[in-house]
Amino acid sequence: MIEPGRLYTLLQPHLDRPARPRGDSGQTIMSFCPAHPDGKKKGNRSLGLNRERGLSCFAGCDFKAILDAMRVDLKDMDDHTAQPIQPLPRPEHQMNLVKTYQYRDTAGKVVAEKGRFEAEDGTKEFKWRLPGIQGWPGIKPMRMEDIPLYGAELLDTIPADEPVYFTEGEKACDACRDAGLPAVTLGGGAGQKAFGTALEPLRGRNVILWPDNDAAGRTYMSRVEASLRDVSAKPRYLSVTWVQREKDDAADYFAGGGTVEAVRESVVTQTVSEIYDRDAVRVKVPTPSGVVHFSFDEISKTRHEFETQVTIHRNGAAPDDEEPYIQRINLLSGTARTNLRRDLEGMYGKSYKWTAVLNSAFAAAQKAFISQDKAVDIAMVPYSRNEDKFHIAPLLPVDAPTIIFGMGSAAKTYMAQSMTLAMACGGSFVGIPALDTRVMYLDYEDDESTFANRMHRIALGAGLPSIPRSSIFYRNAGGVSLPELANTLRTEILELGIEYIFIDSIAAACAGDPEKSDSAQGYFNAVAKLQIGSCHIAHTTKQEESLYPFGSIMWHNRARRTWYISRVDEEDSDTIDVGWYCRKANEGRKSKSFAMSVRFDGDDGPVVMSRSNIQAVPDLAKKTSSHDQVWHILEGRKLNVLEIAQETGLPMKDIDEVFRQDKGKRYTRIENPAGPRFSRKVLV
């Protein structure tokens, strides 16, 4: 192995335009690396030759590849001499001048000339000279930032309101001009960082930036954009809609059949948004690296969250080469936005300036969604009277959400499945007729086998030999929350002709803690997307949660009807008594409480459900209203307030309030020396 010090001596003659030794007490010589894939001799010197560390390329080029490109063979090195070895002969490629570009000032005077040289193997290089000079010795004492725009002399002939295209390189610039588009460029290419006063002729102009399709080109255009803003120009980016290869530019676009019309339609002046569904927004953001497209779907807005599924793809990316980035995100979460930015930088690089791009896209999406014009002239909405207001009266109203809630083991799931079967058959639920309805059951609790077994037991209890086909469609949610699943469900609902859906249960279906109002808001936003009637099962965990589901007024307010379910059973009994208590009814009066019994025949036999008298079950009766309990206790009897209180357990003041509100409509007051007694009237 050759020692680093020996390499330092032997390889110096083979370095490409080495710089003066620097750093490490003058032990490192920097030069251009000959092993870079594009073979170009421009850019920064990345190859370092050090007395102690040997030879390495900071861009990561392989050591052997560097030596091969230098035409150096290590086997020919003599470890016992201090003389540098001779390089292998390099093949000679004649560089021919193919084009001379004249750089003129705004008055038309030639300031410098740039020659484009090409060889038969496709390599190219550029050389400069001042006017009147033979050969191509360069432009000293001028600097690159002193060179005017290529095409500066043409700007006075272009109307002030006509856009000027800014490309990278003269070939791309000429391609635009040949197509009829005014265009300019700078002479230093993507490596130029200082522009002097060269951009001044563009002051106040509409400038459209057309970067080469590579990282260097995009970075270069971002520098140009910043400098153009300093001269009050109005730079915008071109969003070409064709699939670009790496390094493609304007010349490649037109050579591939691109049209001027498509170019003019592809200019994105600023971030733009469009609403394409009630909960979906598209956004385009112009960047130095091209236009970035965002699709925000399944938007769900609450006070603290702006949940959406975002799809991101870059303009012109080949579909086969690049999959779009898809993620569900809360746009209001700083952590989620930071993680998204890091993902995008890792996938597509930092040249897009993702922080600014995401801020612009997210702000546009939120503004578009919130500012939708949703107001309608109610006089223009057709009136359609729906004679069938309930799928099962008074339990499940048509086209509205109903919540059935209560403690676990109250047979809520069995009753929900029994209602599902009654609707699918057009039969009845505990004697209440059901509309013939195609139903979906969205299950977060069990699997299809458990659901099917229960359904067969319920069918046997109802006297049905089998479950009807194409009337009940089961779907296991697979742990995906309803807000995430809503759009997919809506598609299935339309395809299958579903008219009603049961969701079991809320706690697992909502995307968050069900006791928080934001979770309820997001859940009902998702329910609204389904656009059909629905019944939602809520398993509460606290006995005191008997007024509102999860003890939350939000769940109570957003549902059309809520029913509290309470169960009573005796030990070693196959029958349970269940009370239904209406806690809310938006339209019309609240329904009376009622009871039903559920009898289980073993572990796999029929499940039979029937209506029963709620007042006959003391533990259920005491949860009914004071009015119902007083009415029941006075059936065929005449009692005073004290006697009623002793039998029902109601406070006497509540009983007095019942008779005060009645005002003689339902009860007869019978005066008695020992105090008034009351009896029920015969109601006609």
Side-chain angles (χ1 to χ4, degrees), residues 402-432:
T402 297
I403 294 179
I404 297 174
F405 69 103
M407 294 286 288
S409 303
K412 295 185 295 298
T413 295
Y414 269 101
M415 291 186 291
Q417 290 191 210
S418 179
M419 289 188 286
T420 299
L421 182 62
M423 293 162 65
C425 298
S428 64
F429 171 69
V430 293
I432 306 172

XYZ file of all heavy atoms in Angstrom, residues 402-432:
213
model
N -79.030 8.679 15.650
C -79.592 8.294 16.944
C -78.483 7.656 17.771
O -77.681 6.876 17.248
C -80.734 7.286 16.773
O -81.801 7.893 16.043
C -81.252 6.808 18.124
N -78.424 7.977 19.061
C -77.449 7.351 19.953
C -78.189 6.507 20.978
O -79.140 6.969 21.610
C -76.582 8.401 20.669
C -75.707 9.156 19.672
C -75.691 7.735 21.714
C -74.829 10.224 20.308
N -77.744 5.270 21.118
C -78.236 4.369 22.164
C -77.077 4.162 23.131
O -76.025 3.647 22.738
C -78.694 3.030 21.571
C -79.864 3.254 20.615
C -79.078 2.061 22.669
C -80.290 1.993 19.880
N -77.230 4.585 24.385
C -76.103 4.526 25.310
C -76.510 3.919 26.641
O -77.675 3.913 27.026
C -75.502 5.919 25.512
C -76.375 6.889 26.278
C -76.118 7.177 27.609
C -77.443 7.535 25.667
C -76.908 8.076 28.317
C -78.237 8.434 26.355
C -77.975 8.713 27.691
N -75.554 3.396 27.339
C -75.785 2.781 28.634
C -74.576 1.992 29.061
O -73.586 1.871 28.330
N -74.637 1.437 30.277
C -73.534 0.644 30.803
C -73.332 -0.606 29.956
O -74.231 -1.040 29.232
C -73.830 0.245 32.255
C -73.880 1.415 33.213
S -72.237 2.079 33.585
C -71.588 0.764 34.624
N -72.135 -1.176 30.051
C -71.871 -2.413 29.339
C -72.770 -3.541 29.810
O -73.351 -3.485 30.900
N -72.942 -4.563 28.968
C -73.763 -5.746 29.277
C -75.246 -5.417 29.392
O -75.991 -6.129 30.078
C -73.284 -6.429 30.573
O -71.926 -6.796 30.468
N -75.666 -4.324 28.730
C -77.090 -3.975 28.740
C -77.796 -4.502 27.497
O -78.923 -4.103 27.208
C -77.261 -2.462 28.845
N -77.149 -5.381 26.760
C -77.715 -6.006 25.556
C -77.914 -5.010 24.418
O -78.715 -5.243 23.513
C -79.030 -6.726 25.883
N -77.180 -3.904 24.439
C -77.347 -2.892 23.383
C -76.971 -3.452 22.016
O -77.640 -3.167 21.008
C -76.484 -1.668 23.699
C -76.896 -0.923 24.963
C -76.094 0.334 25.177
C -74.623 0.049 25.421
N -74.371 -0.758 26.637
N -75.875 -4.223 21.943
C -75.454 -4.773 20.655
C -76.489 -5.763 20.128
O -76.817 -5.751 18.931
C -74.084 -5.447 20.788
O -73.105 -4.446 21.118
C -73.683 -6.130 19.492
N -77.024 -6.629 21.007
C -78.056 -7.581 20.570
C -79.292 -6.836 20.056
O -79.879 -7.203 19.028
C -78.445 -8.512 21.721
C -77.621 -9.778 21.774
C -76.569 -9.910 22.666
C -77.896 -10.844 20.914
C -75.814 -11.061 22.713
C -77.149 -12.009 20.957
C -76.101 -12.107 21.849
O -75.345 -13.262 21.883
N -79.679 -5.776 20.746
C -80.866 -5.033 20.313
C -80.596 -4.289 19.002
O -81.474 -4.201 18.139
C -81.299 -4.071 21.419
C -81.857 -4.803 22.646
S -82.541 -3.711 23.926
C -81.056 -2.920 24.539
N -79.374 -3.762 18.845
C -79.033 -3.094 17.589
C -79.072 -4.084 16.429
O -79.568 -3.773 15.338
C -77.651 -2.456 17.702
N -78.567 -5.293 16.650
C -78.597 -6.297 15.590
C -80.022 -6.766 15.320
O -80.380 -7.078 14.184
C -77.697 -7.476 15.957
C -76.226 -7.128 15.925
C -75.320 -8.344 16.038
O -74.227 -8.259 16.561
N -75.760 -9.489 15.537
N -80.852 -6.790 16.363
C -82.252 -7.164 16.159
C -82.976 -6.105 15.318
O -83.769 -6.442 14.424
C -82.952 -7.330 17.513
O -84.306 -7.680 17.333
N -82.687 -4.824 15.562
C -83.278 -3.767 14.742
C -82.757 -3.846 13.309
O -83.496 -3.606 12.353
C -82.976 -2.398 15.354
C -83.740 -2.117 16.641
S -83.560 -0.416 17.251
C -81.886 -0.465 17.880
N -81.464 -4.189 13.160
C -80.888 -4.363 11.826
C -81.660 -5.423 11.048
O -82.030 -5.222 9.881
C -79.410 -4.779 11.941
O -78.681 -3.751 12.616
C -78.801 -5.020 10.572
N -81.931 -6.561 11.701
C -82.651 -7.655 11.045
C -84.089 -7.251 10.712
O -84.594 -7.554 9.625
C -82.636 -8.887 11.947
C -83.311 -10.136 11.385
C -82.608 -10.611 10.117
C -83.328 -11.253 12.437
N -84.747 -6.559 11.646
C -86.135 -6.139 11.413
C -86.229 -5.208 10.207
O -87.137 -5.330 9.372
C -86.681 -5.450 12.665
N -85.278 -4.277 10.083
C -85.284 -3.345 8.954
C -84.971 -4.067 7.652
O -85.568 -3.786 6.609
C -84.278 -2.214 9.208
C -84.689 -1.305 10.374
S -83.333 -0.298 11.036
C -82.958 0.751 9.657
N -84.019 -5.007 7.696
C -83.637 -5.733 6.485
C -84.778 -6.598 5.963
O -84.905 -6.815 4.748
C -82.409 -6.588 6.762
N -85.618 -7.084 6.875
C -86.734 -7.947 6.480
C -88.033 -7.178 6.262
O -89.016 -7.753 5.764
C -86.982 -9.004 7.556
S -85.610 -10.128 7.827
N -88.039 -5.911 6.687
C -89.306 -5.197 6.661
C -90.265 -5.770 7.680
O -91.486 -5.713 7.503
N -89.724 -6.320 8.783
C -90.549 -6.953 9.810
C -90.825 -6.014 10.959
O -91.206 -4.854 10.747
N -90.598 -6.504 12.202
C -90.875 -5.666 13.359
C -89.827 -5.915 14.436
O -89.203 -6.979 14.495
C -92.269 -5.952 13.924
O -92.334 -7.282 14.414
N -89.681 -4.914 15.298
C -88.786 -5.004 16.448
C -89.646 -4.891 17.688
O -90.271 -3.857 17.930
C -87.747 -3.880 16.389
C -86.900 -3.756 17.630
C -85.971 -4.742 17.953
C -87.030 -2.664 18.475
C -85.192 -4.633 19.097
C -86.254 -2.543 19.618
C -85.331 -3.547 19.928
N -89.709 -5.953 18.465
C -90.569 -6.086 19.650
C -91.974 -5.529 19.371
O -92.536 -4.766 20.162
C -89.941 -5.444 20.908
C -88.708 -6.208 21.334
C -89.617 -3.971 20.703
N -92.509 -5.897 18.221
C -93.870 -5.518 17.871
C -93.991 -4.170 17.185
O -95.089 -3.775 16.784
N -92.873 -3.425 17.014
C -92.914 -2.117 16.347
C -92.553 -2.320 14.882
O -91.466 -2.825 14.572
C -91.916 -1.129 16.990
C -92.141 -1.031 18.498
C -92.029 0.241 16.337
C -91.078 -0.234 19.220
